[in-house]
Structures are given as structure tokens and as C-alpha cells.
């Protein structure tokens, strides 16, 4: 049996943004169990298929970028969504990327990692409801990472997005709060869900 594939989804499209930095720190414990890859949410609006087909909905989408997003999502067996909290919820780009696919998400295990000034718990709660509505199997552990000291660069960015470094005080706070153990629990729960298949 081929190994199951886990995607870690970067859920923010703002620039500058902290999301890629946090996303890159998420998979360390998952990679010990399953191959994983980081994928971004699409920037453009995607469209519903004309006639959804559970077996392979990809060719039924009218827009090329929607077909491309569908094909990417179909490659993975499970997902970890790394989301910031925007106004007590998730980014619009993530909601859009989730809403315009259904069969591609249905029945797959999902984990949530949130972050924000107080850990992003409200975003995690909203995302859990959305993923449950998509009939995903959301695991119970959802680490929330408080970001109190890490700042974003000010001013114009070059063509390449500047890498945001996490402030050591935030990292120390996460360690003190047991975030590493929570991430390992999330990874183990996700692996258990994958092993049920």
C-alpha cells in the first residue's frame, strides 16, 4: 500500500505574513509518520462544477484554476490547516478555497493549528465547523499559538516575500505552554485517522 500523503495548508494570502513561517514549523512531527507537503490556498475565486461527480469532479469545473486546485487537493489523504485569526474567524482566502470544493475534502482527516494574539481559538472553532460541514474527520487536538512579540516587516516588499522570523519570546511561550506536545498529539491523531482507512 502506498504511503498516505498529508498536506499542510498555508491559509493566509496577505503580504507580509507570518503564516508561511508557522506553517513550516508545523510538519516536523508529521513527517516522521507520513510524507507531507505544504500547499498554499489559491488566490483567485474558484467556481462550482456544472454537475458535481463524486468519482472525479475535477474535469467538471468551468475554470482552469479551479480544476488545478481540485487536482492538487485530490492528491492528499489528510490536511493540516494552519490559520491566523482574522476578526475572530479565518481568512477569506481559506473559506473560499474550502467552499468551492466538496468531494475533494469529503471523508478526509483534518487537523487545525491556529495563531493570533491569544492563540486564534475563535478561528479554530469556526474552521472546525466548516470542515465538519464538508464532512471531513476533524481531529480533537487543535494547538493555538499566541503571537505576542513577533512583528511583521513594515514597508514595501521585493518580488520575493521576506521571511518573517519568530520572536524568541513567542517560541519560549509556546514551549512553556506545551505546544510541542499538542503538535505531537495532533500528528498522532491524524495518523490514527489515516490508519482507519
Amino acid at each position: 500500500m502506498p504511503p498516505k500523503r498529508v498536506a499542510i495548508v498555508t491559509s493566509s494570502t496577505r503580504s507580509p505574513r507570518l503564516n508561511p513561517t508557522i506553517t513550516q514549523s508545523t510538519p516536523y512531527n508529521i513527517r516522521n509518520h507520513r510524507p507531507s507537503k505544504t500547499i498554499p490556498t489559491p488566490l483567485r475565486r474558484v467556481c462550482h462544477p456544472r454537475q458535481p461527480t463524486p468519482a472525479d469532479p475535477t474535469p467538471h469545473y468551468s475554470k482552469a484554476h479551479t480544476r488545478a486546485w481540485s487536482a492538487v487537493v485530490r492528491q492528499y489523504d489528510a490536511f493540516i490547516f494552519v490559520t491566523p485569526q482574522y476578526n475572530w474567524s479565518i481568512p477569506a482566502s481559506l473559506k473560499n478555497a474550502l467552499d468551492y470544493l466538496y468531494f475533494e475534502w469529503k471523508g478526509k482527516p483534518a487537523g487545525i493549528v491556529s495563531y493570533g494574539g491569544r492563540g486564534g481559538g475563535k478561528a479554530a472553532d469556526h474552521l472546525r465547523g466548516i470542515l465538519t460541514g464538508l464532512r471531513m474527520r476533524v481531529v480533537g487536538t487543535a494547538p493555538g499559538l499566541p503571537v505576542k512579540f513577533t512583528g511583521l516587516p513594515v514597508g514595501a516588499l521585493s518580488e520575493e516575500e521576506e521571511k518573517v522570523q519568530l520572536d524568541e519570546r513567542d517560541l519560549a511561550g509556546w514551549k512553556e505552554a506545551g505546544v510541542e506536545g499538542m503538535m505531537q498529539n495532533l500528528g498522532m491523531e491524524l495518523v490514527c485517522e489515516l490508519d482507519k482507512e
Side-chain angles (χ1 to χ4, degrees):
M1 178 190 302
K4 302 286 186 174
R5 299 183 71 201
V6 178
I8 294 110
V9 181
T10 300
S11 302
S12 170
T13 58
R14 286 184 180 174
S15 184
R17 60 195 172 138
L18 182 57
N19 201 255
T21 301
I22 292 179
T23 300
Q24 289 171 0
S25 67
T26 299
Y28 71 92
N29 54 61
I30 301 297
R31 286 195 176 125
N32 295 333
H33 303 288
R34 300 285 190 261
S36 61
K37 180 180 178 187
T38 301
I39 60 173
T41 55
L43 296 172
R44 290 183 251 172
R45 188 168 191 270
V46 292
C47 302
H48 282 294
R50 291 198 176 124
Q51 297 195 346
T53 309
D56 182 4
T58 302
H60 297 277
Y61 292 103
S62 60
K63 303 288 184 188
H65 57 268
T66 309
R67 290 190 298 275
W69 178 235
S70 172
V72 167
V73 170
R74 288 184 65 230
Q75 293 177 44
Y76 295 95
D77 303 292
F79 298 86
I80 298 174
F81 296 93
V82 180
T83 185
Q85 181 168 294
Y86 291 172
N87 301 318
W88 289 19
S89 191
I90 62 172
S93 57
L94 175 57
K95 181 73 164 98
N96 184 62
L98 289 166
D99 278 351
Y100 289 98
L101 300 179
Y102 176 75
F103 295 107
E104 296 86 343
W105 305 117
K106 187 178 177 185
K108 293 182 179 177
I112 299 169
V113 176
S114 63
Y115 65 93
R118 294 184 179 165
K122 296 211 183 278
D125 289 344
H126 281 195
L127 183 53
R128 179 177 302 281
I130 293 163
L131 299 178
T132 300
L134 290 169
R135 304 297 186 259
M136 295 187 85
R137 300 181 346 245
V138 186
V139 300
T141 302
L145 312 175
V147 179
K148 297 179 180 182
F149 301 103
T150 301
L152 296 173
V154 178
L157 293 177
S158 64
E159 294 262 331
E160 289 189 26
E161 188 170 5
E162 184 176 331
K163 171 106 170 145
V164 178
Q165 298 298 320
L166 291 166
D167 189 292
E168 291 296 324
R169 295 171 290 180
D170 282 331
L171 292 171
W174 298 353
K175 185 173 185 173
E176 188 177 305
V179 166
E180 185 175 344
M182 287 184 262
M183 292 286 218
Q184 289 172 347
N185 287 344
L186 184 154
M188 288 188 295
E189 288 179 45
L190 208 57
V191 168
C192 288
E193 286 296 320
L194 283 167
D195 287 343
K196 290 178 184 176
E197 298 175 355

